[in-house]
Amino acid sequence: MSRPTILPAGEHGLLVDLDTEADVLAFTHALTRNTPAGVEDFLPAARTVLVICMPTANVTAVLHELNELARTMSEAIPDERGDDTPFTVNVRYDGPDLDDVARILKMSRAEVISAHTSAEWRCAFIGFAPGFAYLTSGDARLDVPRRAQSRTAVPAGAVALAGGYSAVYPRASPGGWQIIGSTDAVMWDLDETPPAAVQPGRRVRFVNEDKR
């Protein structure tokens, strides 16, 4: 991994700009294991990690520690979690866009379902809405564009694809992803700690309910 660019983000924040999603996962994992003193929270995204410092923190010292962390970390760090227990999502592949996805990918419905359930998914970051986990697999076969027109309402539990990611809508909201299925899995629960069922770096496994 090349050295990231770290820029100020407001009075108490630092934005770590990385090259790839793999770098983001590795840096987030290293930051979780070795959080510098004075860091209150950090939020990974597609290519960045926003590090939020406490108001009393020495931001310059945190910047130095982040640079040192980036210098000494390894791209292979996420592989250490290869034996973590995946979060299982049981899916009914009944989505209204499944036929369109199959047409775009030049696959049958069964082939789309097989590719989705056999892929090794991992949460890259949380975004769009609380508990909305952007899942990556590295399987280019499942890379489909967003819908040409977004829906004004997507139900909670919708399982979707867009832009190389898969996701489960944690609650009803507008959305433009291609919906291929539905699930009863709860992705966001304020009574749980943490509320998001899937955190960055967590593996996710999709299971076809019809094959259980």
Side-chain angles (χ1 to χ4, degrees):
M1 183 185 79
S2 60
R3 289 288 294 275
T5 301
I6 305 178
L7 301 171
E11 291 185 21
H12 306 294
L14 294 165
L15 188 67
V16 184
D17 190 357
L18 297 136
D19 291 334
T20 67
E21 285 176 355
D23 290 344
V24 170
L25 281 171
F27 188 83
T28 300
H29 182 58
L31 192 54
T32 300
R33 294 180 53 166
N34 299 283
T35 306
V39 170
E40 186 173 39
D41 199 3
F42 46 90
L43 304 171
R47 295 290 187 275
T48 61
V49 178
L50 176 62
V51 178
I52 303 168
C53 300
M54 299 173 186
T56 57
N58 183 330
V59 178
T60 301
V62 173
L63 172 63
H64 174 77
E65 291 197 47
L66 294 179
N67 275 312
E68 186 65 15
L69 190 65
R71 186 184 68 81
T72 57
M73 62 178 283
S74 166
E75 291 179 349
I77 285 176
D79 292 339
E80 296 176 5
R81 297 171 295 181
D83 61 349
D84 64 338
T85 302
F87 182 81
T88 299
V89 178
N90 296 316
V91 183
R92 297 175 293 274
Y93 285 93
D94 55 5
D97 300 321
L98 182 55
D99 287 334
D100 286 342
V101 168
R103 176 182 54 78
I104 293 168
L105 298 178
K106 296 180 171 58
M107 292 181 176
S108 66
R109 287 170 60 104
E111 287 172 333
V112 173
I113 294 168
S114 176
H116 194 246
T117 54
S118 62
E120 295 184 1
W121 298 96
R122 191 181 289 274
C123 177
F125 59 97
I126 303 291
F128 173 62
F132 192 99
Y134 284 72
L135 308 175
T136 60
S137 71
D139 189 343
R141 294 179 301 163
L142 294 173
D143 189 350
V144 293
R146 292 170 54 92
R147 286 170 47 85
Q149 184 171 350
S150 295
R151 292 182 169 92
T152 56
V154 175
V159 179
L161 294 168
Y165 296 101
S166 188
V168 178
Y169 280 75
R171 61 184 180 184
S173 68
W177 288 37
Q178 307 275 3
I179 302 173
I180 62 172
S182 59
T183 182
D184 295 324
V186 177
M187 306 303 293
W188 178 259
D189 186 348
L190 288 173
D191 292 330
E192 297 291 334
T193 304
V198 175
Q199 298 293 316
R202 181 77 184 271
R203 290 191 300 142
V204 175
R205 176 172 173 253
F206 290 105
V207 175
N208 184 358
E209 278 202 351
D210 290 341
K211 296 293 182 66
R212 292 176 62 196

